Amino acid sequence: MLKGNAIIGQSGGPTSVINSSLAGVIEAGSLSTNIREIYGMHYGIEGFMQEMMFDLGKQSPAVIKGLRGTPSSALGSSRHKVKDEDLPRILSVLKKYNIRYFFLIGGNDTMDTINRVEAYCRDQNYELRGIGIPKTVDNDLFGTDHTPGYASAARTNILNVMQAGILARDMQRVDKFVIYQTIGRDAGWLAAATALARKEEDDAPHLIYTPEFDFDRDKFLTDVEKCIKNYGWVSVVCGEGLKYADGTPVSASATKDKFNNIEFGAMGGTSVGINLHRMISEKFGYRGEFQITESLIMSDFVRASQTDLEEAYLCGVEAVKLANRGETGFMVSIDRMSDEPYMIRFGKAPLKEVAIAAKPMPEDYFNEERNNVSEEFLEYVKPLVGDLPEFTRLEKKMVKIK
């Protein structure tokens, strides 16, 4: 069996549960007879090339246990795009520290990084086990039913929309509409999840728009007008990556990151939520609100899903198991066995297939109008987010003069 040291890194955005995966790798790795020392990349692959590493084997058991109850990215993250000229340096550091087990927790771009590093080492006859651990609140990785981080971010968005909807319903004489924008560059998984906030027909959200479909301004305004006529107000949820039929972002953002992805956050200029707000105000003259949470929902541990926390930890454990079996070039996957009762098993997906593109939501997860979700999607997401609170509304028993 291949013996040597292990390295683990965290890449991309934070989540409520990424540190649970880190804890899983550390604890499983410490029990492995093949892994001698466990190191952690400080600031991802970027820090690794500068030999900035934590000695995770010297952390106390209390610290490792505490990671399972801590949000964000304990090792520090990076969005460095690995270039061909980086690969010799990466191999040099791997050799220097006798690192034979290479783990990264992240999304599409992270899986691409592992795939390239593992392939380069193979070409250079350096034996390395490269395993990816899925992480993204966007839930857009191929090869897995869902990704750790998604359920907790979905739960936070659901609770936000649920509570904001109560506020908007009660304040409809002041504000006729509320726009809530979620993360989701290419897929609408997070926006769609907010449909679970709705218990009654007039509950928020009334309308949901995602990047899977072209945005039509006229249809949007017709949908808004219909809801206001029916309910007296309207709650709209939108994914940040909405585009018109010609590919132009509804946000009007033109800024791109190192991976050539459009920036919808702080660097992106305006936003979808603000522009939808403007459309409604200009068309109908109504006053309304827009709410943009960005990274706040990505690492909200207080409202994290317990299912998410447990699965994230077990993904870390499974990554070590795969590496110990001699597997390389794979990402740990979650395969759903049933919805009721909710059951999963862990599998593996080839990195070269995971890294190719984002996974959109299936068409049958939407309604015919493409402005809300279907029952099939609700059945998919319910087991992930856990129980939601029940709120009360006053009965409409008005005062009558006898």
Side-chain angles (χ1 to χ4, degrees):
M1 295 296 294
L2 182 64
K3 296 185 182 295
N5 299 322
I7 186 75
I8 180 168
Q10 298 171 318
S11 297
T15 77
S16 303
V17 304
I18 189 173
N19 289 329
S20 288
S21 294
L22 174 60
V25 173
I26 297 170
E27 292 188 344
S30 67
L31 299 174
S32 171
T33 56
N34 302 318
I35 296 175
R36 293 169 179 165
E37 304 289 341
I38 304 175
Y39 306 137
M41 299 178 188
H42 193 24
Y43 301 124
I45 197 72
E46 195 171 6
F48 180 71
M49 289 189 289
Q50 300 172 35
E51 300 182 46
M52 298 170 63
M53 292 178 282
F54 289 97
D55 189 338
L56 297 177
K58 292 183 178 179
Q59 301 292 322
S60 70
V63 168
I64 304 306
K65 181 180 179 181
L67 287 173
R68 298 184 67 177
T70 303
S72 191
S73 300
L75 292 173
S77 188
S78 170
R79 290 191 182 276
H80 177 73
K81 182 176 176 59
V82 171
K83 305 177 180 64
D84 288 342
E85 52 265 35
D86 292 331
L87 295 171
R89 173 57 182 165
I90 292 171
L91 178 57
S92 174
V93 179
L94 290 171
K95 288 180 175 179
K96 181 176 179 178
Y97 292 90
N98 189 30
I99 294 170
R100 298 290 180 167
Y101 294 87
F102 189 83
F103 304 101
L104 284 183
I105 312 172
N108 301 84
D109 297 326
T110 301
M111 298 307 147
D112 180 62
T113 295
I114 309 170
N115 189 42
R116 293 178 62 196
V117 169
E118 193 269 345
Y120 181 78
C121 287
R122 196 178 332 115
D123 289 343
Q124 299 299 313
N125 297 313
Y126 183 80
E127 195 170 359
L128 183 78
R129 305 276 190 265
I131 301 293
I133 301 164
K135 177 276 317 178
T136 174
V137 299
D138 293 346
N139 199 39
D140 60 356
L141 286 182
F142 279 99
T144 185
D145 177 77
H146 57 277
T147 55
Y150 168 65
S152 294
R155 181 177 174 82
T156 295
N157 275 317
I158 293 164
L159 292 171
N160 285 347
V161 170
M162 182 183 290
Q163 294 177 93
I166 292 174
L167 174 63
R169 181 195 70 204
D170 294 344
M171 298 297 292
Q172 61 182 274
R173 286 295 181 94
V174 178
D175 294 309
K176 281 289 185 184
F177 66 95
V178 58
I179 309 289
Y180 183 89
Q181 178 181 314
T182 70
I183 294 168
R185 177 185 296 115
D186 299 304
W189 296 96
L190 278 178
T194 65
L196 281 182
R198 189 172 56 246
K199 299 293 191 299
E200 304 293 338
E201 182 187 347
D202 61 340
D203 286 343
H206 303 128
L207 301 170
I208 300 174
Y209 299 94
T210 73
E212 278 78 3
F213 304 103
D214 296 335
F215 180 77
D216 184 317
R217 181 181 181 277
D218 292 337
K219 183 180 183 305
F220 166 66
L221 292 173
T222 299
D223 291 344
V224 166
E225 186 175 32
K226 181 179 178 181
C227 287
I228 292 178
K229 180 181 178 181
N230 290 339
Y231 312 125
W233 64 291
V234 63
S235 165
V236 179
V237 173
C238 61
E240 66 181 358
L242 288 188
K243 296 181 179 65
Y244 293 106
D246 64 359
T248 303
V250 176
S251 68
S253 176
T255 305
K256 294 188 177 182
D257 64 15
K258 296 176 182 179
F259 294 89
N260 203 38
N261 298 315
I262 294 174
E263 285 275 15
F264 295 109
M267 294 176 61
T270 186
S271 71
V272 173
I274 292 173
N275 282 346
L276 297 189
H277 183 284
R278 185 178 296 119
M279 290 177 197
I280 297 174
S281 294
E282 290 178 352
K283 175 66 175 179
F284 303 110
Y286 296 137
R287 169 177 163 159
E289 289 193 355
F290 61 84
Q291 299 158 347
I292 304 174
T293 55
E294 286 295 330
S295 60
L296 293 176
I297 61 96
M298 298 172 73
S299 55
D300 179 1
F301 187 83
V302 174
R303 298 189 285 185
S305 158
Q306 291 303 309
T307 297
D308 201 16
L309 285 164
E310 183 64 18
E311 290 181 352
Y313 174 80
L314 292 175
C315 278
V317 173
E318 185 66 21
V320 175
K321 289 181 179 179
L322 286 175
N324 278 333
R325 293 202 299 264
E327 303 278 15
T328 185
F330 292 99
M331 179 191 78
V332 174
S333 66
I334 299 174
D335 303 324
R336 188 180 303 215
M337 308 303 294
S338 67
D339 292 326
E340 291 189 24
Y342 174 68
M343 293 178 62
I344 64 160
R345 68 181 178 188
F346 294 100
K348 60 183 182 180
L351 289 173
K352 60 183 179 181
E353 295 179 10
V354 177
I356 54 173
K359 177 183 71 176
M361 290 177 61
E363 284 198 27
D364 62 357
Y365 277 6
F366 296 91
N367 65 356
E368 292 184 5
E369 289 291 310
R370 304 306 191 226
N371 61 11
N372 222 302
V373 302
S374 66
E375 284 297 323
E376 286 83 356
F377 174 73
L378 294 178
E379 292 304 311
Y380 165 86
V381 76
K382 280 178 184 176
L384 304 181
V385 302
D387 294 334
L388 297 168
E390 296 284 343
F391 296 127
T392 296
R393 68 169 74 185
L394 290 173
E395 297 176 6
K396 290 193 174 181
K397 294 182 178 180
M398 312 305 290
V399 175
K400 295 181 181 179
I401 298 177
K402 295 181 181 180

